[in-house]
Amino acid sequence: MEELEFSAAYRYRPYWPDARQLLALLAFPAACGYTTAGVLGGCMVLAGTGVVLGLWHLATSRARTTVGAAGITVSHGIGRGRTYGWQEVRWVDAAAFVELKEPAEVARITLANGRRRTLPGLSRSRRYPDSGFAADLRRVVGWWELRTLPASRIQPSEGRSLTPLMSRHLPDVLALALGCAVVLLTVN
């Protein structure tokens, strides 16, 4: 079978209804820097915020999942990613959750230690629809079934998992924290 690769680059393309949030994110630190340090301070804070947002966009646009003979490689955009061998993967499924008051679905794997990992590039929502999501998930499951023994496939108990929520919002929280840090460092 041919190696599968699912890129999240198209998932994180600009979503224009969010443009006003981006402008507010840029305007607030610039205004704080301007009021405390003048025009130069405002420009420095705006540039710092722009750099942080640019790095966040670069990282999320490089996120991908690769499925091959060695296992499933998950890369969230920084570094080469982590490969989980087929002997580590106990279950492959889709998790449904609510993102920004809209239903969404993401593919995930459950590992031998019980931890779950989301697969970047394999998700769908109203904002980023993917008509081939079910077929792509089925192809990943096919790879998994061909490379594991039935005895090693253990369906996990359904428990509340924050993995999809964290994987979606952690970059936003980090960008906001770094933006606040830039403002505080510029002001003081």
Side-chain angles (χ1 to χ4, degrees), residues 24-136:
L25 183 66
L26 291 173
F28 178 72
C32 290
Y34 175 74
T35 58
T36 56
V39 175
L40 182 61
C43 290
M44 287 176 50
V45 171
L46 188 60
T49 305
V51 167
V52 168
L53 289 174
L55 291 173
W56 172 79
H57 178 70
L58 179 66
T60 57
S61 67
R62 295 183 62 221
R64 68 186 66 252
T65 299
T66 306
V67 181
I72 297 176
T73 302
V74 177
S75 173
H76 289 284
I78 300 171
R80 293 182 322 185
R82 168 104 194 260
T83 300
Y84 299 99
W86 293 115
Q87 70 278 3
E88 292 180 72
V89 180
R90 295 292 183 250
W91 199 254
V92 179
D93 64 350
F97 61 98
V98 176
E99 178 186 47
L100 300 174
K101 300 181 183 177
E102 295 179 1
E105 203 170 9
V106 65
R108 67 183 179 184
I109 58 174
T110 303
L111 303 173
N113 62 8
R115 299 195 73 180
R116 293 181 173 146
R117 298 286 180 251
T118 59
L119 304 179
L122 280 168
S123 62
R124 70 175 163 195
S125 64
R126 282 191 195 150
R127 180 179 289 188
Y128 302 114
D130 184 4
S131 59
F133 173 76
D136 290 339

Side-chain angles (χ1 to χ4, degrees), residues 140-164:
V140 173
V141 169
W143 269 85
W144 171 65
E145 288 175 346
L146 282 174
R147 285 162 177 75
T148 59
L149 298 171
S152 67
R153 300 179 199 146
I154 302 168
Q155 184 173 8
S157 61
E158 279 304 315
R160 183 164 171 81
S161 173
L162 293 178
T163 304

Side-chain angles (χ1 to χ4, degrees), residues 1-37:
M1 288 173 69
E2 191 173 315
E3 190 173 82
L4 306 175
E5 186 168 315
F6 306 99
S7 176
Y10 75 96
R11 296 233 172 266
Y12 300 114
R13 66 191 182 280
Y15 184 68
W16 296 115
D18 288 342
R20 60 183 177 265
Q21 293 172 352
L22 179 61
L23 289 175
L25 183 66
L26 291 173
F28 178 72
C32 290
Y34 175 74
T35 58
T36 56

